[in-house]
Amino acid sequence: MLAVHGLRHAYRGGPAIAFPDLDVPQGARVLLRGPSGSGKSTWLAIVAALLTPTAGRVVAAGADLLAMSARQRDAWRGAHLGFVPQRLHLSEALDVAHNLALPYVAAGEAVDRARIDALMRRLGLAGLGAGRPRELSVGQAQRVALARALLRRPRLLLADEPTASLDDDHAREVVALLAEGAAEQGATLVVATHDARVAAALPDAVELRLEAHA
């Protein structure tokens, strides 16, 4: 499940942002909508346990995130969260296969090569492991970021504007892969977007609409 209640956040020197409540069951799909400046990235950061809000409660994958210590939040993210950022943050110092190994390294776990290989085949990336991120097409790079997010079988999958720089064909492909990947894991999927193509591709999603703030 994902439950967000009474959420508010204020950056230093700025006004407080109040977010609407949300209650969805495990495995639901959610569209986080709103114009630039409405707080979509802030909401994602809070739900990813990366930012502590001014007030509120967030329960995700059975955990009360704001009641945890910083170390407990780190462990929760590693075990339960998959994140596809708007900027993919693939390291050019590493080949694709080693980029995909990073979630295991960060968690202090042995790299699951079989899992990496299986996801690469599933996402149409077979044979690209030895290449560098700069050699990938935009669509391939998006699929690598998705594979990285799915590697450790997350219970919550967040995607921040995943279609912002994609043409229609690649946008449909990425949304389909996000939905399929989440469904295969039984993960709750939250997509932050202002792209009408995403809403059209996820007609059963619950919409959480944020309003612009002065």
Side-chain angles (χ1 to χ4, degrees):
M1 65 172 292
L2 176 60
V4 181
H5 295 157
L7 197 62
R8 295 174 63 86
H9 187 67
Y11 291 100
R12 181 175 297 177
I17 302 172
F19 297 98
D21 291 349
L22 175 70
D23 280 280
V24 294
Q26 186 63 36
R29 301 173 180 182
V30 178
L31 289 179
L32 184 63
R33 306 292 301 274
S36 296
S38 60
K40 295 192 298 295
S41 294
T42 297
W43 190 96
L44 287 175
I46 292 170
V47 173
L50 293 167
L51 178 66
T52 300
T54 305
R57 186 167 187 246
V58 178
V59 178
D64 187 342
L65 300 187
L66 304 182
M68 292 179 170
S69 68
R71 180 171 293 183
Q72 288 171 328
R73 290 185 198 181
D74 288 344
W76 177 86
R77 280 194 300 273
H80 299 294
L81 178 70
F83 198 103
V84 182
Q86 187 171 356
R87 296 180 180 177
L88 301 181
H89 301 300
L90 300 176
S91 173
E92 287 293 347
L94 301 173
D95 62 26
V96 170
H98 282 91
N99 266 281
L100 290 176
L102 288 177
Y104 295 107
V105 174
E109 297 180 355
V111 176
D112 188 342
R113 295 292 181 189
R115 173 72 172 158
I116 290 174
D117 290 344
L119 270 176
M120 289 185 71
R121 289 193 300 272
R122 169 71 182 80
L123 296 176
L125 299 168
L128 299 179
R132 300 284 174 168
R134 64 177 173 273
E135 298 168 351
L136 302 174
S137 69
V138 172
Q140 289 169 338
Q142 283 278 9
R143 292 198 296 273
V144 170
L146 177 57
R148 182 179 59 189
L150 293 173
L151 275 173
R152 302 188 68 223
R153 296 178 172 87
R155 299 292 288 161
L156 175 62
L157 181 60
L158 306 178
D160 188 5
E161 301 286 2
T163 61
S165 60
L166 301 180
D167 60 29
D168 288 348
D169 289 340
H170 283 118
R172 282 192 296 269
E173 177 185 45
V174 165
V175 176
L177 290 171
L178 280 167
E180 291 167 12
E184 288 172 1
Q185 307 299 328
T188 301
L189 172 64
V190 181
V191 182
T193 185
H194 62 271
D195 190 339
R197 299 173 300 179
V198 178
L202 297 174
D204 61 339
V206 173
E207 182 172 302
L208 183 67
R209 179 167 290 277
L210 308 185
E211 302 299 331
H213 299 275

